[in-house]
Each structure stands twice: as C-alpha cells, then as structure tokens.
C-alpha cells in the first residue's frame, strides 16, 4: 500500500505494459493525476490486464473531486479497449475522460506507423 500523501499532478503518465500493468490500480489513478495517460503494449499479457486497468482509471478519477479533463491515449488497437469504450462511454463523459483513437499515420524514412499529436 502507498503511504498517505497528497496526489501528484503531471501532464503525461506512461502506464506500464505486460506484467507491470498489474500494479496500476484505483489507488494509482487516485494518487497519480495526469492530463494524459498513455496505454501501450500490444501483446497477449496486456490484454489480460487491460480491462481492470481501464476500470481502475474510472474508479480513481471519480475520487478526484475536481473537474480536470483527462485524455487516454492507447497506442494499439484492442477488442478489450473497444468493448470498454462502448460499455463505459457515458461514465467517461461524466468524469471528463476522452479516449483518443488514431487513424493517422506518420511516414519516416522507409517506415509508416500510427500516430497522434498531443499538445499542452
């Protein structure tokens, strides 16, 4: 358990992938308050912990008690993410959470990849 203390405010928080994602719970989101959370890790391990992580974001953000817009930036396409988005869309709007979907691509040298631009 984390020691008691005030929340920490940041502009961008990169959420861990694979097995480390299991450490991201409601308490994490209650304490680490970010304008943007990046969810990465397109692998089978992430799929197993993705839904609890996303639900923890909703629960943790609910406890903030202040109105701060939050952007969730997934770096991969996932059925779990799509289902969560559809099932909790109303709750996301109530809490001021926006999920960015990226249909844009960036071409660098001989490679193209999905991308999105985030400005502060």
């Amino acid at each position: 358990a984390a020691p008691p203390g005030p929340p920490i405010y940041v502009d961008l928080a990169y959420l861990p992938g694979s097995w480390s994602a299991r450490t991201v719970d409601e308490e994490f989101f209650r304490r680490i308050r970010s304008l943007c959370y990046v969810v990465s890790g397109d692998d089978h391990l992430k799929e197993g912990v993705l839904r609890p992580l996303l639900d923890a974001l909703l629960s943790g953000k609910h406890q903030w008690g202040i109105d701060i817009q939050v952007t969730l930036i997934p770096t991969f396409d996932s059925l779990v993410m799509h289902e969560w988005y559809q099932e909790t869309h109303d709750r996301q709007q109530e809490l001021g959470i926006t999920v960015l979907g990226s249909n844009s691509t960036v071409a660098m040298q001989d490679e193209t990849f999905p991308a999105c631009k985030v400005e502060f």
Side-chain angles (χ1 to χ4, degrees):
I8 298 168
Y9 293 88
V10 296
D11 290 331
L12 180 74
Y14 187 84
L15 302 176
S18 298
W19 291 106
S20 297
R22 295 173 191 264
T23 64
V24 180
D25 58 8
E26 181 179 331
E27 180 66 11
F28 174 90
F29 289 109
R30 189 185 67 73
R31 297 282 303 276
I32 308 298
R33 301 178 182 189
S34 182
L35 296 176
C36 296
Y37 292 101
V38 177
V39 181
S40 67
D42 187 13
D43 60 43
H44 68 284
L45 296 174
K46 186 66 164 215
E47 284 291 311
V49 296
L50 185 57
R51 182 62 191 242
L53 184 147
L54 296 171
D55 289 339
L57 169 61
L58 296 176
S59 298
K61 174 78 165 69
H62 175 74
Q63 296 180 38
W64 290 12
I66 53 176
D67 188 27
I68 295 177
Q69 183 67 35
V70 169
T71 303
L72 181 66
I73 306 168
T75 64
F76 59 98
D77 196 25
S78 162
L79 180 59
V80 172
M81 177 68 75
H82 285 278
E83 290 172 350
W84 177 83
Y85 180 82
Q86 293 296 325
E87 293 170 10
T88 65
H89 188 259
D90 291 340
R91 185 81 173 128
Q92 294 166 41
Q93 288 184 319
E94 289 170 17
L95 294 172
I97 297 172
T98 301
V99 179
L100 285 186
S102 179
N103 293 328
S104 300
T105 56
V106 172
M108 289 183 72
Q109 297 168 354
D110 294 331
E111 184 180 5
T112 61
F113 49 90
C116 67
K117 181 179 178 181
V118 178
E119 292 186 39
F120 296 99

